[in-house]
Amino acid sequence: MIEYIRGELADLTPALAVVEAQGVGYALNISLNTYSAIQGRTPVKLYVHEAIMTGGRDDSYTLYGFASRQERSLYRLLITVSGVGANTARMILSSLTPAELCNVIANGDEKMLKTVRGIGLRTAQRIIVDLKDKIMQSGIADELHVSSQPGTPAVNTAIKDEAVSALTMLGFSPAPSAKVVVSILTDQPDLPVEQVVKLALKMIK
């Protein structure tokens, strides 16, 4: 089993990193969080999850790379949930940081999970029910300084939802919009929705 790969970053896209270690180029599927963490850095160290599919016409061997152990642990927990496959788990980790995802699960914020492309209400609820206790028991939440106390999210949900809706109507993707809006409201919780939208328009890439 491969625990991690450390080497020169030979190639990088938002979805794939090629790391050369001792003359071998390893192609690893990555999330946007990992992409941001390793962009411009070399050498790099990526924690590995190996996915081996057998029994079909062709066996497949796929490597997934993560910038932190916590992100890999969350990925492994996500793919245990019924209806959440490898691509969906990677989409979730591309839309939310590990700390944000832990907060969302710990506090039962199904609306935030639903902003991730491909996640419906039932899947969001299943992720929360299946993983809430596991992320606390595994120690991931403690490592990321996540609290499961009710009321931890400090943002105004009504303002957040209205701002995200406005940004979506303007053509921006819901998940990145939600991240920016939550960030703004965390720093400035009393802002009216129009000000939140104006600030978000300057921040969304």
Side-chain angles (χ1 to χ4, degrees):
M1 177 180 286
I2 301 173
E3 172 63 15
Y4 63 82
I5 295 174
R6 187 201 304 270
E8 299 298 314
L9 188 59
D11 193 21
L12 180 66
T13 71
L16 189 75
V18 178
V19 179
E20 183 177 341
Q22 297 184 342
V24 179
Y26 297 90
L28 301 103
N29 292 282
I30 60 173
S31 69
L32 286 177
N33 281 315
T34 290
Y35 172 76
S36 298
I38 66 175
Q39 192 174 24
R41 294 175 54 191
T42 193
V44 297
K45 177 180 179 180
L46 292 178
Y47 294 92
V48 175
H49 172 78
E50 301 171 81
I52 303 172
M53 300 292 291
T54 59
R57 179 177 297 177
D58 297 306
D59 294 344
S60 66
Y61 178 58
T62 305
L63 298 179
Y64 293 86
F66 304 91
S68 68
R69 284 193 182 93
Q70 292 88 352
E71 187 181 20
R72 182 180 63 179
S73 295
L74 285 169
Y75 176 85
R76 287 173 170 172
L77 286 173
L78 284 168
I79 60 176
T80 67
V81 178
S82 176
V84 179
N87 288 332
T88 300
R90 187 162 58 143
M91 181 69 73
I92 293 170
L93 289 168
S94 292
S95 303
L96 300 164
T97 67
E100 288 170 340
L101 179 58
C102 279
N103 267 313
V104 164
I105 294 171
N107 293 289
D109 191 352
E110 61 191 38
K111 288 186 178 180
M112 179 64 85
L113 268 179
K114 282 176 58 184
T115 66
V116 179
R117 183 179 178 184
I119 300 294
L121 177 60
R122 287 186 180 180
T123 302
Q125 292 172 335
R126 194 178 299 123
I127 290 171
I128 291 168
V129 170
D130 287 2
L131 301 187
K132 186 171 184 178
D133 290 339
K134 290 180 180 178
I135 63 169
M136 303 305 293
Q137 294 169 0
S138 67
I140 302 172
D142 289 336
E143 292 171 8
L144 296 170
H145 307 293
V146 171
S147 170
S148 62
Q149 293 298 318
T152 295
V155 301
N156 184 315
T157 302
I159 295 294
K160 182 200 75 176
D161 291 347
E162 192 174 347
V164 172
S165 176
L167 290 164
T168 302
M169 287 189 288
L170 289 171
F172 295 97
S173 298
S177 298
K179 284 180 65 176
V180 171
V181 168
V182 169
S183 174
I184 292 169
L185 287 173
T186 299
D187 292 337
Q188 303 179 71
D190 297 324
L191 279 183
V193 65
E194 62 271 17
Q195 291 298 322
V196 173
V197 173
K198 286 180 181 179
L199 284 175
L201 288 171
K202 297 177 182 178
M203 298 169 63
I204 295 176
K205 296 180 179 179

